[in-house]
Amino acid sequence: MGFRAGRESGPIFIVGLPRSGSSWVGGCLGISSSALYYREPCTRAYSAANEGRVVFEVTPDNVPDAYLRSSQKLCCHSPYIRPSVVAYPHQWPPFSRNVRVPVVKEVNPLACSWFIDRFNPRMVVVLVRHPAGIASSMRTLGWVLGEGSTLDDWRCFGSRVAREWQQMLEQIADCDQVKIVRYEDVCQAPLETFQGLYRELGLEWSAMSEQWVRGSSNAKLQSKDHFSIRRDSVKNAYRWRESVTQDQLQALMEGYAEYELPDWYQT
């Protein structure tokens, strides 16, 4: 069952930590006329039955039941999935969904090795974002670093992000179908970047794709909905500089530097 017959028939995964911009990137890729877009099928099923963090290591011996159930539905393109997973209902008629390329957006990078083994994807797009951008976005939602947070708290958060990225890199080290993309690079040139990703991923670029990317990247008013995928992408890339102090940034990056990572972010 599923996608084990060959990588060319496998899904495309977009994976990043929460608040890394994966909803925007996933939505812009998933709108392709050749795509069948799934929005966090494993994470949403898991969150419905469990409280706590959604980022945790998934191994063959430690796969949550919610992940297994969701993967079975995904493999057979089952329509019996959570409505919140279906971002674009027009993609789901039976005659349509069976010929489209599954594009799956998830927010648990520590499940990458399981995603790769379970689904044999044609590509895993790993999205990274500046740790200060993740911290600022999570803080706005009240998830981390609330009032009274110390510089040690910021340092610990930076260390946590780096540790999780290092674990993710270890999981994908032996997979040759991985592309790491910086959120900030997509923000600076969204149209050109998405056109390139469409070509590399084998997705069909159309007038609708271009309209969607332009519309979601050039919103001049900042939405009050923190989960909106419409933004002024150029301004949004480094909007965190408006709310993160220099001392907080320094502490964050001190924690981040505790782990050896590629040269994605230095300051």
Side-chain angles (χ1 to χ4, degrees), residues 20 24-25 126-130 179-194 197 217 233-234 236-238 263-265:
S20 291
W24 175 52
V25 172
V126 174
L127 189 67
V128 296
R129 184 182 186 183
H130 196 292
K179 182 176 182 63
I180 296 176
V181 176
R182 290 196 340 148
Y183 172 74
E184 293 79 12
D185 295 336
V186 186
C187 286
Q188 297 298 326
L191 191 62
E192 295 82 356
T193 303
F194 280 116
L197 285 172
S217 307
S233 66
V234 174
N236 207 60
Y238 294 100
D263 187 19
W264 296 332
Y265 304 103

Side-chain angles (χ1 to χ4, degrees), residues 14-240:
I14 299 99
V15 184
L17 287 172
R19 310 310 296 173
S20 291
S22 59
S23 291
W24 175 52
V25 172
C28 287
L29 294 175
I31 197 64
S32 168
S33 56
S34 61
L36 180 65
Y37 183 46
Y38 293 79
R39 185 171 50 191
E40 301 175 18
C42 294
T43 295
R44 289 174 185 262
Y46 178 82
S47 297
N50 300 272
E51 295 183 356
R53 296 196 66 217
V54 298
V55 179
F56 56 90
E57 188 170 10
V58 177
T59 66
D61 299 325
N62 181 34
V63 183
D65 289 341
Y67 273 53
L68 291 172
R69 291 194 301 271
S70 294
S71 71
Q72 291 167 355
K73 293 177 181 179
L74 198 159
C75 281
C76 63
H77 297 179
S78 169
Y80 301 107
I81 61 175
R82 294 180 176 277
S84 60
V85 172
V86 179
Y88 307 130
H90 71 273
Q91 297 177 341
W92 281 84
F95 65 86
S96 175
R97 66 173 182 263
N98 290 327
V99 297
R100 290 174 176 265
V101 179
V103 175
V104 186
K105 177 254 186 179
E106 280 291 354
V107 289
N108 184 6
L110 301 191
C112 274
S113 61
W114 184 76
F115 291 146
I116 291 167
D117 181 68
R118 178 70 179 90
F119 297 104
N120 196 26
R122 67 169 64 182
M123 183 69 75
V124 178
V125 178
V126 174
L127 189 67
V128 296
R129 184 182 186 183
H130 196 292
I134 298 174
S136 176
S137 184
M138 287 188 175
R139 183 171 63 163
T140 298
L141 292 170
W143 293 357
V144 298
L145 301 170
E147 288 188 27
S149 295
T150 66
L151 293 181
D152 278 341
D153 294 326
W154 283 83
R155 191 173 294 107
C156 288
F157 185 85
S159 179
R160 188 182 89 186
V161 169
R163 181 179 66 252
E164 290 172 347
W165 279 350
Q166 186 182 72
Q167 289 177 270
M168 173 204 65
L169 288 173
E170 292 171 355
Q171 291 191 9
I172 64 177
D174 296 328
C175 180
D176 58 356
Q177 296 300 106
V178 173
K179 182 176 182 63
I180 296 176
V181 176
R182 290 196 340 148
Y183 172 74
E184 293 79 12
D185 295 336
V186 186
C187 286
Q188 297 298 326
L191 191 62
E192 295 82 356
T193 303
F194 280 116
Q195 285 176 325
L197 285 172
Y198 268 63
R199 287 193 297 270
E200 190 167 351
L201 299 174
L203 294 173
E204 183 177 330
W205 180 265
S206 65
M208 180 178 66
S209 303
E210 180 169 345
Q211 182 181 14
W212 186 269
V213 170
R214 288 186 184 277
S216 67
S217 307
N218 296 315
K220 296 308 177 185
L221 294 177
Q222 180 71 7
S223 174
K224 294 182 180 180
D225 178 3
H226 298 297
F227 294 93
S228 172
I229 63 172
R230 297 181 64 84
R231 64 202 61 206
D232 182 331
S233 66
V234 174
K235 290 183 179 179
N236 207 60
Y238 294 100
R239 193 180 298 274
W240 55 265

